[in-house]
Amino acid sequence: VELLTKAGWPIVDGRLLPHPQGRKLLFLGDLVDRGTQSIALLRFLKKAVDAGLALCIKGNHDAKLVRFVRTALLEGIERWTSFANAETGMEMLKLDPRERDELVNFLHRLPAYYVDSWAKTVFVHADMHTFAPGLSLKSDCVYGMSGWSKMDSDGLYHQGVAAGLNEHTLVRGHYPATSEQSHAFSLERHPFQKGEL
C-alpha cells in the first residue's frame, strides 16, 4: 500500500481506486507467503482485479496454497513440505468458508502468463528457456524450467530470441536473474530469502 501510494495510486478504505493516468497493475505471482499479511493482500488484490485495475499471474506459492487448502479440506494435513505455505494455509482454513473458497478460487483461476502483444513482451512468474503462447506449459511458467539448477536460463532464453525461437521479451520473478540479457529480465532480488524487494 505504501509503494502504491508513492506511485500515485489512490487507496480509500483499503480499496484501490483508478490511477489518475489510467495505469493498470500487473503482479507476477507469489502473492502469498511473502510476509505476515498474505490474506489481507489477497483480499486487496481480488478487489483490484475484480474492478479491472490490476492483473495477476500465478506463482508457485499461489498454486501450492490452493493445493494445501483443497487437500486439507478433503483429506486433512499431517505434514506439509513448505512451512511458509502451511502457515498461510492454516490461516486460510480459519476463514469463513465462503470467503476462503472465493480466495482459493481466485488463486486457482489466475493465468500462468500474460502477453502484451503490442510490446511483444511476456510476463511469467518463473524462469523460462523458451516461450510460445498457447504452447508453453503452464507449469513451466509457474514453477520454472531450470529447477533451481545452476543453469543460465536467461542466457538460454536470449539465445532463443537470437535464433528466432522466442519472439517475446521475457519479464519474470521467482528468483534473481541468471545473467544480464536484453530480452530476459527478472524483477526478483532475493526477498524470498529475507532480502530487499
Side-chain angles (χ1 to χ4, degrees), residues 90-102:
M90 294 305 289
E91 285 182 49
M92 290 286 280
L93 292 173
K94 294 176 188 174
L95 296 177
D96 173 79
R98 183 173 165 217
E99 182 186 23
R100 178 198 62 222
D101 292 347
E102 284 178 2

Side-chain angles (χ1 to χ4, degrees), residues 10-150:
I11 298 172
V12 177
D13 297 329
R15 186 178 293 269
L16 189 71
L17 299 178
H19 192 278
Q21 295 174 334
R23 296 177 181 169
K24 264 193 182 178
L25 292 167
L26 173 60
F27 293 85
L28 296 184
D30 279 2
L31 307 175
V32 299
D33 303 337
R34 295 296 179 259
T36 59
Q37 299 183 41
S38 291
I39 305 300
L41 179 67
L42 283 180
R43 289 173 175 143
F44 180 81
L45 290 180
K46 183 179 182 309
K47 289 176 189 172
V49 169
D50 290 348
L53 302 174
L55 301 164
C56 298
I57 58 176
K58 189 180 299 185
N60 58 308
H61 280 255
D62 310 319
K64 287 193 307 184
L65 181 61
V66 169
R67 276 198 318 274
F68 178 92
V69 172
R70 289 182 172 174
T71 300
L73 292 173
L74 290 174
E75 305 167 17
I77 294 285
E78 291 184 26
R79 186 174 148 323
W80 197 254
T81 56
S82 170
F83 174 75
N85 194 243
E87 191 172 36
T88 306
M90 294 305 289
E91 285 182 49
M92 290 286 280
L93 292 173
K94 294 176 188 174
L95 296 177
D96 173 79
R98 183 173 165 217
E99 182 186 23
R100 178 198 62 222
D101 292 347
E102 284 178 2
L103 294 176
V104 167
N105 289 334
F106 167 70
L107 288 174
H108 178 68
R109 288 191 310 266
L110 291 177
Y113 60 86
Y114 174 75
V115 174
D116 183 331
S117 300
W118 181 81
K120 294 294 276 183
T121 302
V122 61
F123 299 88
V124 299
H125 174 66
D127 67 304
M128 306 284 289
H129 307 162
T130 186
F131 177 82
L135 298 176
S136 292
L137 295 176
K138 291 179 181 179
S139 59
D140 287 343
C141 297
V142 173
Y143 290 94
M145 297 178 87
S146 67
W148 295 92
S149 69
K150 299 292 182 193

